[in-house]
Amino acid sequence: MATRYDMMNDAITSNITSSPSEWRDLPRRILTVTLGVPSIILMLRYSLTSWLFFQGAHLICLIEWKALIPTSSVKKSQDDATTRKDEKVTGKGSAGSTPKANNAIRSFLRVILDDDDEDDDTTILPPLSNGLFSIFCFSSLLVSILPTSYIPLGLMVFGIAPRLIPHLPGFQSSTSLLTTTENARFFVFAMQHYQFGLAYISIGFHFILQISKIGGPIHIGNLLFVVWMSDTGALILGRLMKGGGSQATTNSESRKGNGTSFLKSISPGKTLSGLLGAVITGPISSAIYPILLPSSTMHHPTDDEQFDIAAASCLAVDVRFPNLYNLSLSQRAFLGLILSSSGIVGDLAESSVKRLSEKKDSGGLLPGHGGVVDRFDSLFVAGVAYYYWMLA
């Protein structure tokens, strides 16, 4: 007679074999991780390369964020944009042609955003929209490097600035376009989208950079390892238990209708089993992280030891915070639970944005993983939690 373990094993095996499309991206995921992880480890060892890595990721996230403006707001004004574009091309002949430099830039952006549409000019109000995006990028980079105590000031400035853009002399000629309901809706949607991006992406990178600067490679490595392992656990368990292969899981999901309905309204791919995988993997990853590191890398010099401060600054060595070995197993596991739970919130926040923009991924720069925002979404919230729990 088959045991309960055998039945569960058969159900999981059946689910894998019956849904090959679920694992179609696995080779690309493995290739990206194989190439990316060693490079990230090397860059995190030094303060300068670590800063350049995160700020580079920050810039790409800003570009991807622009492409995630809610699609409904764009579609409602698409006809007007197409009409104006046709008038410009037919009325001015060669003036409507695109310079080669612009074509090269657009091709590069299509690679980042995984956009194959050659006719990608969906900007309804070019001067206003571009001005709004420029202020968003400037404010985001500024917030990421400001002292933490000045973040409220940065948020207030960006909260007010977009409201004043239409009244600036350089944009007043485009303000008349806001008299139509569709264009006004697009501008408001874009403004709200960027304001949320400042609170989500910009503050997220601010605290990630603070952890890298203050905590050094050990602490930022701990954050990345735990959060990304939690994402992996959510992906694997969610895919294993999803579908018709496991009737018990299907019945369990249906009994928890409210939770499932909430997740499915955000993203069709989200499942309760996936969340459980993240919550389980996070504490385990956090508990074993110090064990994976050589004990010499966890050594912090005491006051009696001779220590080169210049070298400490160059290597981003943490000299102010306790050794991770000093945390008990239960403390490390609890830290992992905090990071995995906050990472889930960050992931759901980005999924809700992608749902409104009707896109599966934020971009296509990372094969098998989507865009850079897709890879950092959990870190934006988990980084804030890590900073205040471990370093503040």
Side-chain angles (χ1 to χ4, degrees):
M1 184 175 64
T3 64
R4 183 172 182 178
Y5 172 80
D6 293 332
M7 294 173 63
M8 182 177 296
N9 185 56
D10 291 342
I12 294 176
T13 304
S14 174
N15 190 31
I16 295 177
T17 57
S18 62
S19 305
S21 61
E22 290 287 344
W23 304 93
R24 184 172 51 190
D25 61 348
L26 186 59
R28 291 180 296 162
R29 285 180 174 270
I30 294 175
L31 178 62
T32 301
V33 170
T34 302
L35 297 177
V37 169
S39 302
I40 293 175
I41 292 175
L42 289 175
M43 287 186 286
L44 293 183
R45 288 180 59 84
Y46 302 96
S47 59
L48 177 60
T49 54
S50 178
W51 187 87
L52 291 175
F53 166 68
F54 286 119
Q55 287 292 31
H58 186 183
L59 288 171
I60 297 175
C61 285
L62 298 181
I63 296 173
E64 292 181 350
W65 195 253
K66 183 180 181 181
L68 292 177
I69 293 177
T71 304
S72 59
S73 65
V74 176
K75 285 183 176 180
K76 287 180 180 298
S77 301
Q78 188 65 39
D79 292 339
D80 292 341
T82 303
T83 301
R84 288 196 300 273
K85 184 176 181 180
D86 291 341
E87 290 176 352
K88 179 177 67 174
V89 173
T90 58
K92 296 185 180 181
S94 61
S97 60
T98 304
K100 292 182 178 180
N102 289 345
N103 283 334
I105 294 174
R106 289 189 178 189
S107 298
F108 172 72
L109 293 179
R110 277 196 292 271
V111 172
I112 295 179
L113 303 175
D114 193 24
D115 185 5
D116 296 328
D117 186 6
E118 293 290 337
D119 188 15
D120 60 352
D121 187 11
T122 56
T123 302
I124 311 304
L125 307 171
L128 290 176
S129 180
N130 292 338
L132 192 61
F133 178 66
S134 299
I135 292 179
F136 168 63
C137 291
F138 174 79
S139 301
S140 185
L141 293 173
L142 184 63
V143 166
S144 69
I145 62 176
L146 280 176
T148 304
S149 59
Y150 285 90
I151 285 183
L153 177 61
L155 294 177
M156 176 179 288
V157 170
F158 185 75
I160 296 174
R163 301 284 179 177
L164 303 180
I165 290 179
H167 306 285
L168 296 176
F171 300 100
Q172 289 179 2
S173 60
S174 300
T175 304
S176 59
L177 297 175
L178 296 178
T179 55
T180 64
T181 304
E182 293 80 5
N183 287 338
R185 182 184 290 110
F186 168 79
F187 183 75
V188 172
F189 274 35
M191 181 170 56
Q192 293 175 344
H193 179 74
Y194 289 136
Q195 287 174 335
F196 174 64
L198 193 74
Y200 179 62
I201 295 177
S202 312
I203 292 181
F205 272 111
H206 170 87
F207 284 102
I208 289 173
L209 289 168
Q210 288 296 309
I211 295 170
S212 178
K213 176 183 176 181
I214 299 174
I218 302 303
H219 282 281
I220 192 64
N222 188 23
L223 171 67
L224 298 183
F225 178 74
V226 174
V227 172
W228 284 344
M229 286 299 294
S230 298
D231 289 345
T232 302
L235 174 72
I236 294 175
L237 188 59
R239 288 187 176 183
L240 286 176
M241 305 304 290
K242 187 174 67 173
S246 177
Q247 187 63 36
T249 303
T250 303
N251 294 336
S252 176
E253 293 276 355
S254 62
R255 284 196 299 268
K256 299 176 181 179
N258 291 335
T260 304
S261 175
F262 170 74
L263 294 177
K264 296 299 182 184
S265 66
I266 295 177
S267 174
K270 302 298 181 187
T271 62
L272 293 177
S273 56
L275 300 188
L276 180 62
V279 171
I280 292 175
T281 310
I284 295 175
S285 302
S286 183
I288 68 174
Y289 174 75
I291 302 175
L292 300 177
L293 299 175
S295 58
S296 59
T297 64
M298 301 298 295
H299 176 68
H300 292 249
T302 62
D303 294 337
D304 298 331
E305 294 176 314
Q306 298 296 325
F307 187 74
D308 188 345
I309 299 300
S313 176
C314 177
L315 295 174
V317 174
D318 172 18
V319 297
R320 289 190 283 170
F321 297 97
N323 193 315
L324 287 178
Y325 277 130
N326 294 339
L327 297 178
S328 66
L329 182 63
S330 60
Q331 288 176 322
R332 295 202 300 267
F334 186 67
L335 172 63
L337 180 62
I338 292 176
L339 295 182
S340 60
S341 300
S342 56
I344 289 172
V345 175
D347 178 67
L348 292 177
E350 194 230 353
S351 295
S352 67
V353 173
K354 291 190 294 185
R355 181 80 166 189
L356 291 175
S357 66
E358 299 181 4
K359 292 190 177 181
K360 182 179 182 294
D361 299 316
S362 65
L365 193 61
L366 305 176
H369 295 264
V372 178
V373 176
D374 295 321
R375 196 69 292 193
F376 274 79
D377 54 3
S378 300
L379 290 168
F380 294 146
V381 180
V384 178
Y386 190 97
Y387 176 84
Y388 283 107
W389 186 261
M390 291 292 295
L391 304 180

